[in-house]
Amino acid sequence: MSNVREYLYKFLVVGDLGTGKTSIIKRYVHNIFSMHYKSTIGVDFALKVIQWSPEIVVRLQLWDIAGQERFGNMTRVYYKEALGAFVVYDVTRPQTFEGVRKWKADLDSKISLPEAWGGGNIPVVLLANKSDLIGEGHGQHANPTEMDTFCKENGFIKWFETSAKDNTNIDEAARHLVTTILGIEREHLDRHDAENFENNNQQLRVDSRDKNRNDGGCC
């Protein structure tokens, strides 16, 4: 009998138009990069299967949400059952950073973790993308102290400076989000198992007392 556990997780990739969301997904899933992706219309998604460990296989659905979708009414449908998200901005276009809070607020208002996991906001990682263009007169590196503070104040679990072109920190960002989700699920599974164990023990004690009471004979 196989002891391999399989997990299916849906992750969203959101951010303003042209921040490189599709490029990040293509790099992560297929390890390819192109300068000529067309803007996503509506939503697209890709699947990546990860042999996380000898005992764990993770199947990731990565949903590429078009940059203009935040202004539409369909995101609630697209977000359904998502367990984590990446919010992406372009380090060469500061105005895309201004959209980060709005995307995070949109996620928080429309999706939450399952009740069985305690509910609450889904974990979200912030990606400062297109770092390969820094040094060509475009943008500047993210300030680690400022970014750490920003993430703490706005509910992001972590941030990474990324480049789909150079394949910088794409795997690391995804690994961090998967690790976070696995940890949340295991914590609540363990808690559920412990509660079941305690409930079963209580039931056994009740059954035992009832049995002893019924077995008490008289002459």
Side-chain angles (χ1 to χ4, degrees), residues 78-101:
Y78 299 150
Y79 291 177
K80 189 177 181 181
E81 297 180 349
L83 297 174
F86 299 100
V87 174
V88 186
Y89 80 96
D90 178 349
V91 292
T92 71
R93 292 189 294 141
Q95 66 271 26
T96 64
F97 185 72
E98 296 171 11
V100 164
R101 283 192 184 92

Side-chain angles (χ1 to χ4, degrees), residues 166-178:
D166 294 343
N167 198 16
T168 303
N169 282 335
I170 305 294
D171 287 348
E172 289 79 0
R175 190 179 307 120
H176 185 80
L177 191 51
V178 172

Side-chain angles (χ1 to χ4, degrees), residues 97-112:
F97 185 72
E98 296 171 11
V100 164
R101 283 192 184 92
K102 297 174 184 176
W103 280 103
K104 180 65 165 62
D106 197 53
L107 292 167
D108 291 348
S109 68
K110 295 177 180 174
I111 185 70
S112 58

Side-chain angles (χ1 to χ4, degrees), residues 2-7 54-58 186 189-190 193:
S2 173
N3 291 321
V4 175
R5 279 189 173 186
E6 292 197 9
Y7 297 87
E55 301 82 22
I56 294 176
V57 172
V58 176
R186 282 174 175 168
L189 278 175
D190 290 345
D193 291 344

